Amino acid sequence: TRRCFVKDICQEYPRGGSGLALGRLGIGAGDTSHQFIYQTRDPFGTVSLHDLHRPCTSLLQIHTYSTSFCAMSPCHMGAEPMEGATMGGVKNLVALPTEEHSVAVVRDLRCDPKGNPAWRVAVGDDHISAMYGSRRKYGMLTSLALCLQETTQRIVLGCGMENGSSLFYDLGAMGHGRDPWCIDSVEKGVEESNHIHGMRNEVISENDSRYMCSATLGKDPVLCLDLVSSNSHCRSLDGEADKIGNAKEKENEIELEKYISAASLVAVGGCAGDADELSELPEQEQGTISTIKVKLADDSSADASKSSTMKATIRSKTHTCSISSGGKVGVSVCRFRPDGRMYAVGGWDHRLRLFGRTSSKPLAILRGHEASVTAVDWADNAALSGLLATGAGDGRICVWRAFPHSLRNY
């Protein structure tokens, strides 16, 4: 049975622009607030907050002034947030594009939209030009991902760029501390300049370059990016101590410290692509879907010389339809299942592909659309129910049941 409800959620203040992105708050945390955010390509680049029970009335509006196709990204918190995690604040974070096409901001939706953002990141700014290149090298910001690394409680921002690069920033480790709401002071002249635009720069010293890394996914724009925390082993350590006693608890604390020192995330990115151009590349470089391991810097040692830097490593690359077929090999959207063990990829070839996090071959190829798949969302309990929904340029919304009760299989 299909039921369709048509609502113009912008009827209160018509925007005059097409819809660009729609997302839920509290992704992966079992949140019951029933709030969602909606982004349009109107002259103000408006992002609005809505409640499902009153969708036509916006609770908040933010003007990003972005004219690009870069979509906003709510913060991903994982399927089972760790005990003591500050979910109340993190679930209200959203990464947004700006009028400066190589600049992203992270805002707390509970705060005044005209005030300063929590973070402002200029990709390829002068202070990292020597290590990572310049803004001219990276081009425009084309995709965003925001995630809480649960064992360290750090906020990590992923930025997909026009030249095929993905950059990752450990926002919680930058500056003087890891307070996610702390913004370091800046020089007076810079501060006054940014105050005009309602924002302040995060000060990043030479030492803070340890909290940035990048990976090259291809030569085409990274149109979609998603991030999840790698923390399942940590959860098992947390629970083990309660069962076995204090001696085991001390041992687990040592193991937990080792795990935190190697804390990491997994990212998936999808690029645009042309079959004729890709066919001229070596086979290992033809993939338009990449999985990346992002290892956070280990600064637990008092000796700075022993501290490691943040690092991004491509684990696998694959493509959608066959390169030799001349089909549409580009990728529009990618999304991890809330537990992070599987992800879905929507392609230009009208198909949805499901991958295990450690697999470079699709577990399933789903056919139901007649245009590029542009939107994917998993149910919060998708590891048990297997439910996910897709939207495409053909105007269809498809609901799928794929690999239910697979929590322990991947």
Side-chain angles (χ1 to χ4, degrees):
T1 302
R2 296 184 180 182
R3 301 182 67 186
C4 181
F5 297 89
V6 179
K7 282 279 187 180
D8 182 3
I9 64 174
C10 298
Q11 63 184 7
E12 181 183 8
Y13 300 103
R15 302 182 189 177
S18 59
L20 180 59
L22 188 69
R24 295 176 296 143
L25 292 185
I27 298 175
D31 183 62
T32 57
S33 65
H34 301 101
Q35 291 184 339
F36 66 93
I37 42 183
Y38 179 53
Q39 179 183 8
T40 54
R41 294 195 73 241
D42 62 279
F44 300 102
T46 306
V47 174
S48 53
L49 177 65
H50 300 263
D51 190 285
L52 284 174
H53 301 298
R54 298 180 299 277
C56 297
T57 303
S58 60
L59 305 177
L60 175 72
Q61 286 198 358
I62 299 173
H63 293 158
T64 68
Y65 298 101
S66 171
T67 57
S68 71
F69 286 91
C70 180
M72 51 80 183
S73 174
C75 189
H76 190 293
M77 297 182 292
E80 301 175 15
M82 292 181 63
E83 184 178 356
T86 55
M87 295 296 103
V90 174
K91 74 177 183 180
N92 291 285
L93 293 180
V94 58
L96 301 167
T98 67
E99 60 185 328
E100 300 177 76
H101 290 171
S102 59
V103 174
V105 297
V106 177
R107 285 194 174 274
D108 186 337
L109 296 180
R110 300 171 299 176
C111 300
D112 184 353
K114 296 181 180 179
N116 297 327
W119 289 281
R120 179 179 185 273
V121 177
V123 180
D125 208 349
D126 294 338
H127 57 264
I128 56 172
S129 59
M131 180 176 293
Y132 294 111
S134 64
R135 294 188 187 185
R136 183 176 299 177
K137 171 184 175 183
Y138 291 118
M140 294 173 55
L141 187 69
T142 52
S143 55
L144 290 167
L146 192 65
C147 181
L148 173 71
Q149 208 294 323
E150 297 174 45
T151 57
T152 60
Q153 290 293 284
R154 300 188 197 176
I155 304 296
V156 178
L157 174 69
C159 300
M161 305 305 294
E162 185 181 10
N163 78 327
S165 297
S166 288
L167 289 87
F168 302 93
Y169 297 83
D170 185 347
L171 301 180
M174 288 180 171
H176 295 299
R178 295 180 183 172
D179 181 356
W181 318 120
C182 174
I183 301 179
D184 295 328
S185 61
V186 295
E187 295 180 4
K188 184 176 180 181
V190 177
E191 186 175 44
E192 290 178 350
S193 173
N194 287 330
H195 182 69
I196 297 174
H197 295 86
M199 57 181 64
R200 291 168 62 187
N201 272 322
E202 178 80 44
V203 172
I204 304 177
S205 66
E206 292 183 3
N207 291 332
D208 286 331
S209 63
R210 296 190 299 116
Y211 305 115
M212 297 174 279
C213 62
S214 67
T216 301
L217 309 190
K219 296 183 179 180
D220 294 296
V222 181
L223 300 183
C224 54
L225 193 66
D226 200 16
L227 269 170
V228 291
S229 176
S230 299
N231 67 329
S232 57
H233 177 58
C234 179
R235 289 200 188 105
S236 65
L237 290 174
D238 286 343
E240 193 70 15
D242 295 334
K243 300 178 183 179
I244 310 178
N246 293 334
K248 188 67 177 178
E249 182 176 2
K250 185 174 182 179
E251 179 182 336
N252 282 334
E253 286 178 358
I254 297 174
E255 290 296 321
L256 185 57
E257 288 179 2
K258 293 180 180 178
Y259 181 79
I260 290 177
S261 68
S264 62
L265 304 94
V266 178
V268 58
C271 296
D274 180 85
D276 293 335
E277 293 180 359
L278 290 175
S279 63
E280 299 176 359
L281 299 176
E283 184 176 355
Q284 64 272 19
E285 298 180 14
Q286 292 180 358
T288 52
I289 306 167
S290 302
T291 55
I292 310 108
K293 180 177 181 180
V294 181
K295 185 178 180 298
L296 300 187
D298 176 15
D299 53 3
S300 58
S301 174
D303 185 353
S305 64
K306 296 182 180 179
S307 299
S308 64
T309 60
M310 194 172 172
K311 184 178 181 180
T313 306
I314 295 180
R315 299 172 63 176
S316 66
K317 294 189 71 172
T318 187
H319 48 75
T320 53
C321 55
S322 171
I323 299 294
S324 59
S325 69
K328 298 180 179 180
V329 297
V331 174
S332 300
V333 62
C334 54
R335 190 77 67 235
F336 275 105
R337 198 171 68 177
D339 67 318
R341 302 190 181 190
M342 187 182 292
Y343 62 89
V345 174
W348 291 0
D349 64 344
H350 312 170
R351 292 169 175 79
L352 179 75
R353 288 170 172 79
L354 304 181
F355 294 84
R357 192 171 70 180
T358 59
S359 173
S360 60
K361 294 183 178 181
L363 302 173
I365 301 176
L366 307 179
R367 299 168 174 84
H369 289 289
E370 297 178 356
S372 297
V373 180
T374 56
V376 175
D377 197 10
W378 295 86
D380 282 336
N381 67 341
L384 297 176
S385 67
L387 291 176
L388 72 156
T390 58
D394 56 6
R396 294 179 181 176
I397 295 176
C398 295
V399 178
W400 313 85
R401 184 184 298 275
F403 302 104
H405 306 288
S406 61
L407 185 61
R408 299 180 181 178
N409 294 341
Y410 300 99

